Amino acid sequence: MAAYFVCFWGLFLSCSIYFVQSKSTPQVKLISHSVFIASLITTYSLKYLSSCFLHIQVYIVYLGLNHIRDPGLTFHYHLQLLSTVFTCEKDAEHSILYSYKYSLSGFSAMLNSTQAATLANMREVVSVFRSKSSQSHTTRSWDFLGLNLDNSEVKPLQLIYGEDIIVGVLDTGVWPESESFREDPSMGPIPVTWKGECVKGERFEPAAACNRKLIGARYYLKGFEQEYGALNTTENFEYESPRDFVGHGTHTASTAVGSIVEDTSFFDLGKGTARGGAPRARLAVYKVCWNIEYYGRCTEADIMAAFDDALHDGVHVISASFGPIPPLVPFFRDSSSIGSFHAMQLGVTVVFSAGNYDVSPEPSLVGNVEPWSICVAASSVDRTFPTKIIVGDNVYMGESLITTQIKAKLVDASTYFYNGICKMDNIKPSKKGAGRIVLCFSTVGPKLSLEAAAAVKTVNATGLIFVEPMSRQLPDVEVVPTVLVNLEEGTKIKYYLAESPRLPKVQIEPSKTVIGKAPAPTIAYFSSRGPSSITPDILKPDISAPGVNILAAWPPETPPSLSSSDGCSVNWNFQSGTSMACPHVAGVAALVKSAHPSWSPAAIRSALMTTGEHILWTQPWTVFLLVDQ
């Protein structure tokens, strides 16, 4: 607003001078004054007024590989280049957000479209693009993958390799007090190649937070604040530091390189020994995603800065569980593609999540499709959580993460929702569901159980039985106790309810943990499919990894259901998504890099994609066979 005022006042003074002079000067001088004013206005419009009256946004100016190799000289060069579209160097310095001055060369700055176009036409510039926002893609898994911690005579691979490997995690930060990030007494000193640091911030003291396990932590906020406004830590819970509130970053970091922690569970569900894929590897955290309604929002300006720092700091593997959705932009107009390209040049393996799409598994929705990184889809493990539902004398089976027995009366969705559609805007007035468990169908109402659970919570019901196709059943930590049942079981329950003269009693037993009975792996319904929408001849995703109901570390001050009305506090939580699959591959990549330090990112990716074991299992409609290659 101040810039607009200055521009307007300057233009007003110029026009005032013209009119005053025109009253008492000959016609010849009037023309000269007119020419002067016109040229003055033209100059302002090109270099100053345009920056005031046109919409200013964050743009990234990418210059390619950094050939200068001196951060100070590189920054000066960036400032000199940026100054060509401003009236003076001081204005350019105020405009710049980040100077990418280590492994790659470029900068992000507040520009209007005219300034951006001018820079884009310069010979030194590879690309100029608007900084857009991305969203984060939200125990048993390592045993399922064959990385066991047993007492056999052979020492487990997870305990042999990884100690000198540094994994950088770009996400929502870290909860440093988690047991997953404690240093093992046997760990050696921090590798001498490490150049990073732990940055002080809100509730984050480097001396207490960092150790020989968590060796680095930074945070990037400038791009986010330009996009969403100043960080509001009061109304929208967040920490202006590397500390994690959303939970996503803590979960992914512990999955990739978390230390070994015995006897972990979510209220006795999924009990076992938690650890990352490379529990002896070191962790460096780069917080680029920030809380908006319990989702991590990440801007490209911040992401590019994190890549630049991570490569300079000396990481060996990068795990990034966020990304774009179609329509995708060309590779060198995307910060993740550019950052991972320069990582590849330096021998750093970058692992991305493929993306989630909750409605249906349609083709060509995969993101992060650049050929030089690893793109990971989400698949299941052989662990289920069967849950018994007793209605009258009948027993039905579903799946859930319910930890205590529930007794209530069973009601149909139409009791509380118009047309039986379990959504917030369909709630009937003056209807309260205390002591009731509501039966909702995804084929009638919302496709997602979390949407139905929020609506059922609003009417104060005790619980939810959510009926959906078997292929979509994915138990989650909901705001109200929720059991998922397939269409066959759900239809039987609905018929029983319709034929009952009064509301029947229903009893839901605590969920059980069952291992080895479910056919696995299968690709999760939400996992974005290929082919790539911009390079269909390059197959993506590259590989799948466990991404369904993954138990990992969690901030105790963040509700496990990610709902403000949830008062629970846990240290371990279940999450599903390609975000959870991505760090599995990053952890294994760290082990491979430790065993084969000279291997390139392409060699590591090839090894992961062409290695497997014989798994033969059948379903009524198909046979799956994974074979060693």
Side-chain angles (χ1 to χ4, degrees):
M1 182 60 72
Y4 292 156
F5 178 77
V6 170
C7 290
F8 175 77
W9 187 244
L11 182 59
F12 174 75
L13 286 176
S14 299
C15 294
S16 298
I17 293 170
Y18 170 74
F19 285 119
V20 169
Q21 294 289 335
S22 66
K23 289 180 180 179
S24 57
T25 42
Q27 183 66 26
V28 174
K29 291 195 174 182
L30 274 176
I31 294 173
S32 64
H33 277 298
S34 299
V35 172
F36 170 73
I37 297 299
S39 64
L40 181 66
I41 293 175
T42 301
T43 303
Y44 265 75
S45 65
L46 287 176
K47 283 202 167 185
Y48 192 69
L49 289 176
S50 61
S51 68
C52 297
F53 294 116
L54 295 178
H55 186 41
I56 297 177
Q57 296 177 307
V58 179
Y59 283 87
I60 295 174
V61 180
Y62 173 53
L63 306 175
L65 184 66
N66 187 356
H67 297 286
I68 300 176
R69 299 299 183 188
D70 184 303
L73 290 177
T74 303
F75 173 75
H76 182 72
Y77 171 62
H78 293 164
L79 195 58
Q80 191 176 42
L81 191 66
L82 184 59
S83 296
T84 61
V85 295
F86 284 91
T87 54
C88 63
E89 188 174 287
K90 190 172 184 180
D91 291 339
E93 194 168 356
H94 287 157
S95 170
I96 199 166
L97 297 184
Y98 295 107
S99 173
Y100 311 125
K101 53 186 182 290
Y102 296 116
S103 303
L104 57 96
S105 180
F107 55 87
S108 54
M110 299 297 296
L111 303 170
N112 61 45
S113 57
T114 301
Q115 293 168 317
T118 302
L119 288 168
N121 289 326
M122 292 183 177
R123 181 176 56 84
E124 307 96 319
V125 175
V126 176
S127 62
V128 177
F129 53 95
R130 165 96 163 80
S131 173
K132 301 175 293 297
S133 293
S134 296
Q135 181 173 306
S136 51
H137 293 148
T138 193
T139 53
R140 168 62 185 166
S141 55
W142 295 115
D143 292 327
F144 177 71
L145 292 176
L147 292 172
N148 301 297
L149 294 179
D150 54 28
N151 294 320
S152 63
E153 296 180 3
V154 179
K155 191 174 183 180
L157 293 176
Q158 288 180 301
L159 300 184
I160 297 175
Y161 297 109
E163 182 160 347
D164 290 329
I165 299 300
I166 304 166
V167 177
V169 177
L170 278 60
D171 213 298
T172 63
V174 67
W175 192 265
E177 292 82 8
S178 170
E179 291 182 272
S180 282
F181 310 120
R182 71 170 190 268
E183 62 180 26
D184 189 280
S186 64
M187 286 190 104
I190 295 172
V192 294
T193 56
W194 176 244
K195 303 175 186 176
E197 60 179 316
C198 272
V199 177
K200 183 177 180 179
E202 183 181 359
R203 291 187 60 187
F204 197 94
E205 288 292 334
C210 292
N211 50 40
R212 288 177 295 166
K213 177 67 175 180
L214 176 58
I215 64 174
R218 301 178 185 267
Y219 67 99
Y220 305 84
L221 190 56
K222 294 177 183 177
F224 177 87
E225 290 195 321
Q226 290 296 335
E227 185 77 21
Y228 297 100
L231 189 68
N232 187 335
T233 59
T234 303
E235 297 178 5
N236 192 47
F237 296 107
E238 187 51 281
Y239 307 104
E240 192 171 344
S241 72
R243 183 173 290 277
D244 181 20
F245 175 78
V246 177
H248 193 272
T250 300
H251 200 281
T252 56
S254 66
T255 301
V257 298
S259 300
I260 297 172
V261 184
E262 296 180 349
D263 197 28
T264 62
S265 69
F266 178 82
F267 297 107
D268 287 334
L269 289 175
K271 182 175 286 189
T273 299
R275 74 275 189 191
R280 296 189 63 78
R282 318 302 175 112
L283 172 64
V285 167
Y286 301 84
K287 183 175 179 178
V288 296
C289 303
W290 300 83
N291 177 34
I292 294 183
E293 297 180 348
Y294 292 97
Y295 282 97
R297 302 287 182 179
C298 342
T299 65
E300 290 196 274
D302 295 335
I303 291 169
M304 188 90 99
F307 265 106
D308 193 35
D309 279 343
L311 298 180
H312 176 260
D313 290 346
V315 303
H316 301 98
V317 177
I318 291 177
S319 176
S321 293
F322 52 76
I325 59 173
L328 303 179
V329 298
F331 292 138
F332 290 102
R333 296 177 64 87
D334 175 78
S335 64
S336 294
S337 297
I338 292 170
S340 59
F341 178 79
H342 287 277
M344 176 270 296
Q345 288 184 314
L346 294 174
V348 176
T349 298
V350 180
V351 186
F352 285 114
S353 49
N356 306 329
Y357 195 74
D358 289 328
V359 178
S360 59
E362 301 295 337
S364 297
L365 292 172
V366 62
N368 295 317
V369 296
E370 52 279 341
W372 45 80
S373 65
I374 302 176
C375 178
V376 188
S379 55
S380 64
V381 297
D382 62 343
R383 179 177 62 189
T384 57
F385 302 97
T387 306
K388 186 184 295 185
I389 305 169
I390 304 170
V391 184
D393 295 327
N394 301 305
V395 177
Y396 308 95
M397 294 303 298
E399 196 165 359
S400 178
L401 298 176
I402 290 177
T403 57
T404 57
Q405 186 185 76
I406 301 171
K407 293 182 179 181
K409 295 290 185 67
L410 181 64
V411 297
D412 187 72
S414 59
T415 305
Y416 302 108
F417 302 96
Y418 291 113
N419 300 317
I421 299 175
C422 299
K423 297 180 71 171
M424 300 287 284
D425 51 5
N426 280 63
I427 296 175
K428 293 181 178 180
S430 304
K431 289 282 188 177
K432 293 299 178 182
R436 303 289 189 266
I437 292 176
V438 184
L439 178 67
C440 296
F441 277 72
S442 67
T443 50
V444 175
K447 301 295 183 186
L448 302 178
S449 61
L450 63 88
E451 189 177 358
V456 167
K457 172 74 173 179
T458 303
V459 300
N460 199 33
T462 302
L464 167 67
I465 297 175
F466 192 71
V467 186
E468 61 182 351
M470 184 180 296
S471 61
R472 292 180 56 87
Q473 287 188 22
L474 179 65
D476 204 351
V477 181
E478 305 284 10
V479 68
V480 295
T482 302
V483 186
L484 307 179
V485 301
N486 61 37
L487 288 168
E488 182 181 355
E489 293 285 84
T491 302
K492 291 177 181 177
I493 296 173
K494 187 174 181 66
Y495 285 174
Y496 184 91
L497 178 59
E499 294 170 0
S500 298
R502 60 183 64 88
L503 294 180
K505 293 180 180 180
V506 58
Q507 178 175 311
I508 300 176
E509 297 295 327
S511 304
K512 305 292 184 182
T513 303
V514 175
I515 293 173
K517 299 296 184 181
T522 60
I523 298 298
Y525 78 86
F526 57 76
S527 186
S528 293
R529 269 65 167 172
S532 164
S533 57
I534 57 173
T535 53
D537 51 333
I538 299 174
L539 297 181
K540 292 288 176 173
D542 295 296
I543 194 171
S544 74
V548 176
N549 289 327
I550 304 303
L551 185 67
W554 193 255
E557 295 181 14
T558 301
S561 66
L562 295 176
S563 170
S564 57
S565 62
D566 183 357
C568 287
S569 175
V570 298
N571 294 315
W572 306 92
N573 194 23
F574 286 108
Q575 290 272 282
S576 296
T578 55
S579 284
M580 284 65 247
C582 171
H584 278 85
V585 174
V588 175
L591 294 179
V592 176
K593 182 69 175 177
S594 177
H596 303 281
S598 63
W599 280 16
S600 68
I604 292 174
R605 181 179 60 190
S606 176
L608 295 178
M609 292 175 64
T610 58
T611 302
E613 64 176 346
H614 294 277
I615 301 178
L616 178 64
W617 55 269
T618 62
Q619 286 184 335
W621 57 90
T622 188
V623 175
F624 289 79
L625 179 62
L626 303 183
V627 186
D628 282 317
Q629 297 186 39

